[in-house]
Amino acid sequence: MIAFDIDKQTQNDLEIFGSNDNQKSLFNLFNQTCTIEGATTLKLIFKNPLTDIDLISERKKLIAYLQTNKLDFNLDKESIDFIEFYLRQNNRPKVPTSIFRTQKTISDYIKPTRELYLKRRGVKEVLDLIVYLTNLFLKLNLKKDFSFLKRMNDILYDLKNNKHITSYLSSKNFKLTSSKLSIFDFELRKTELNKINDLLTFVYELDAYYAVAKTAVKYNLHYPEISNDQEKHIQIKGLKHIFIDKAITNDINFSADKNVLFITGVNMAGKSTLLKSIAIAIYLAHLGFPVPAEKMKTSIFEGLVTTINISDNLSEGYSHFYNEVRRVKEVAAKISEPKNMLVIFDELFRGTNVKDAHEASVSIINAFSKIKNCLFLVSTHIIEVAEDLNLNPNINFTFLETKMVDGKPSFSHKLKPGITADRMGLWIIQNEGILDALNKNANR
């Protein structure tokens, strides 16, 4: 399977991971896990988007099934942590012979120890987890073709076949005496240890999937339709930015016959937000996750690369413009390989003068339009760039509209076909009273 190509710049642009638990990020938005290891598993999933349509489809269908099942998956974090702690104890359990059990019963009665507490609680927590999962799987329809659930249920079934665990499950008034505790400790930490560890791995993955299902309900996300078509395409209805409450929605139609989607609009019209919204939807779709849109159809891509929030690199002495040039060079190297990628540039060459930015943008975008195995999204507020590209048949021109209402700009944030002629730089300068302030001091 080909690894999905996504780099650190793109992860930062899309705010996939925050630098701390409280920072806004895509991962934190989805992280409604019950357990620490469930969150770790979810993060691992986030780091590895898929390119195999079968794996994507299976994960997507499983999460959607868990969502529609509406089962209350709510493991106790403290209990799961204690199970891990209990299983990791260094003192390996001894074979519970009759003599050993008798000795332990007497010593535990005379002088209860911390070790006794750990064993008693650890055994109880593991057995309670098996009971909880057994009840959960009784409610799940295992006739559904989900290999993940079937493999997890197989391990659970094998554990329940252990005669000692069976005795616990079948008894209504089971008492965990010191003698029985020695047996169960040996069975759980020795005989069945590998199976229990395997079961916990599945529990954490299930925790991650339920977290995604909970997020889908909370934010009204929908599951995309994924295709393996050779010709790349993206169709999205009702796309919104997942971080914005009551966000304006947009429709996106993007196909290989016009492999460059070109967006014009003034600063503050919402170009960056729209580009991030599209990229996030594509990223989530390749995780097998639901997306912030009413409907979505997309082909499989082998990578996603964005350049939205690039900055100066003063420590290495690079200017903003030189960093932009280096980024274009990096992207050129990526797409020179036989990869189907989605490439997004917000405001090409904003770090140089308008003339150079204009000429460089026209050249680069014309070159992009000839690379048919990739799709490109490019935005600019330099209208002349769009005018010079207007005759290129491979470019789909769109714009975000700005209207002046009562002398103030009004942003619809709706994407429309064509090229905008809107300009707003001088209005901002005048509205801030900069010219008035300068003119008042002109004759001092």
Side-chain angles (χ1 to χ4, degrees):
M1 182 178 69
I2 299 172
F4 189 87
D5 191 343
I6 184 167
D7 60 15
K8 191 69 175 178
Q9 173 69 46
T10 303
Q11 290 182 353
N12 291 338
D13 283 344
L14 305 186
E15 299 172 279
I16 293 174
F17 300 106
S19 58
N20 58 65
D21 292 338
N22 297 320
Q23 185 174 335
K24 178 182 69 176
S25 72
L26 197 59
F27 169 74
N28 286 341
L29 189 83
F30 276 83
N31 185 19
Q32 300 190 53
T33 53
C34 304
T35 65
I36 293 174
E37 290 302 319
T40 301
T41 301
L42 181 63
K43 181 167 282 190
L44 186 63
I45 292 171
F46 257 89
K47 288 180 178 179
N48 295 280
L50 303 169
T51 58
D52 185 298
I53 191 169
D54 293 330
L55 295 178
I56 293 172
S57 297
E58 182 174 4
R59 182 184 288 170
K60 180 187 72 172
K61 290 176 183 176
L62 173 59
I63 295 170
Y65 173 68
L66 296 175
Q67 179 182 339
T68 56
N69 234 271
K70 296 181 180 179
L71 294 177
D72 184 20
F73 184 82
N74 190 24
L75 293 173
D76 182 69
K77 172 184 171 297
E78 185 179 339
S79 295
I80 298 297
D81 287 349
F82 198 91
I83 289 174
E84 289 281 5
F85 177 69
Y86 163 68
L87 295 176
R88 288 196 301 266
Q89 294 301 302
N90 290 326
N91 57 328
R92 291 295 89 193
K94 295 179 180 180
V95 178
T97 63
S98 297
I99 295 174
F100 175 76
R101 284 185 281 134
T102 301
Q103 291 173 339
K104 285 298 294 178
T105 299
I106 295 170
S107 64
D108 289 344
Y109 178 78
I110 296 173
K111 188 177 180 180
T113 62
R114 180 175 178 273
E115 179 187 353
L116 174 62
Y117 167 77
L118 290 176
K119 286 182 181 179
R120 191 175 295 279
R121 182 179 173 186
V123 167
K124 186 70 166 57
E125 295 286 12
V126 173
L127 293 175
D128 285 351
L129 177 64
I130 292 173
V131 171
Y132 175 83
L133 294 174
T134 298
N135 292 332
L136 179 70
F137 273 83
L138 286 174
K139 298 172 185 175
L140 291 171
N141 182 4
L142 295 181
K143 292 180 180 178
K144 295 279 186 180
D145 189 23
F146 297 121
S147 62
F148 172 84
L149 292 180
K150 288 181 178 178
R151 285 182 284 128
M152 186 175 180
N153 190 55
D154 286 345
I155 295 175
L156 191 61
Y157 181 81
D158 286 345
L159 282 171
K160 290 188 296 182
N161 273 345
N162 180 294
K163 67 179 183 179
H164 302 288
I165 296 176
T166 299
S167 69
Y168 177 83
L169 296 175
S170 60
S171 175
K172 292 183 179 179
N173 299 307
F174 189 91
K175 291 185 179 180
L176 199 58
T177 63
S178 292
S179 178
K180 290 179 181 177
L181 181 62
S182 296
I183 295 173
F184 274 95
D185 183 50
F186 182 83
E187 292 298 315
L188 298 182
R189 290 204 294 140
K190 183 70 174 180
T191 308
E192 306 291 2
L193 180 61
N194 289 338
K195 291 177 187 175
I196 294 172
N197 282 328
D198 288 344
L199 182 65
L200 285 171
T201 300
F202 276 99
V203 166
Y204 299 140
E205 192 169 350
L206 186 62
D207 188 13
Y209 293 150
Y210 264 109
V212 178
K214 292 173 188 175
T215 305
V217 173
K218 184 176 182 180
Y219 294 99
N220 193 29
L221 309 182
H222 297 87
Y223 294 88
E225 182 181 324
I226 314 290
S227 75
N228 219 3
D229 299 341
Q230 289 297 108
E231 284 199 355
K232 299 301 154 187
H233 60 85
I234 303 170
Q235 284 91 40
I236 313 177
K237 180 181 179 183
L239 173 70
K240 62 183 179 181
H241 196 295
I242 198 167
F243 290 144
I244 300 175
D245 293 332
K246 298 179 182 179
I248 302 296
T249 62
N250 272 294
D251 298 342
I252 304 296
N253 290 288
F254 204 170
S255 57
D257 60 333
K258 288 184 178 292
N259 69 318
V260 178
L261 180 62
F262 194 79
I263 304 174
T264 52
V266 301
N267 290 327
M268 298 192 294
K271 301 188 298 297
S272 299
T273 300
L274 178 59
L275 292 177
K276 288 180 183 180
S277 302
I278 297 168
I280 287 171
I282 290 295
Y283 180 80
L284 291 174
H286 283 75
L287 291 174
F289 287 7
V291 300
E294 295 171 23
K295 289 183 180 180
M296 179 176 178
K297 294 181 179 180
T298 182
S299 51
I300 295 287
F301 291 90
E302 293 167 351
L304 169 66
V305 57
T306 68
T307 306
I308 298 174
N309 297 318
I310 201 164
S311 60
D312 299 345
N313 192 333
L314 299 179
S315 63
E316 295 185 23
Y318 297 142
S319 67
H320 189 286
F321 174 65
Y322 188 65
N323 274 338
E324 289 179 306
V325 172
R326 288 179 61 182
R327 184 61 172 167
V328 173
K329 185 178 179 180
E330 289 173 6
V331 173
K334 285 179 180 290
I335 61 181
S336 65
E337 303 172 15
K339 282 186 176 181
N340 303 311
M341 300 189 70
L342 177 63
V343 178
I344 297 177
F345 274 95
D346 184 26
E347 298 281 4
L348 266 171
F349 305 119
R350 71 180 82 175
T352 189
N353 64 77
V354 174
K355 186 176 185 300
D356 283 344
H358 175 184
E359 293 175 353
S361 296
V362 170
S363 299
I364 294 296
I365 295 169
N366 272 324
F368 284 164
S369 71
K370 298 172 185 177
I371 303 171
K372 289 297 188 176
N373 64 318
C374 296
L375 297 185
F376 300 86
L377 283 90
V378 183
S379 76
T380 188
H381 69 279
I382 305 175
I383 300 166
E384 291 78 11
V385 173
E387 292 171 347
D388 281 1
L389 294 168
N390 202 21
L391 297 179
N392 189 322
N394 296 330
I395 300 178
N396 180 16
F397 292 94
T398 60
F399 71 97
L400 289 167
E401 185 180 40
T402 303
K403 291 182 178 180
M404 298 301 292
V405 178
D406 297 329
K408 296 181 179 180
S410 174
F411 307 107
S412 70
H413 302 299
K414 296 294 287 187
L415 193 65
K416 297 186 176 183
I419 301 171
T420 182
D422 298 332
R423 299 177 188 272
M424 211 178 68
L426 183 58
W427 179 89
I428 294 174
I429 291 172
Q430 292 172 336
N431 188 62
E432 292 297 318
I434 296 172
L435 292 178
D436 290 340
L438 292 174
N439 287 333
K440 283 180 182 178
N441 294 293
N443 296 319
R444 287 178 56 185

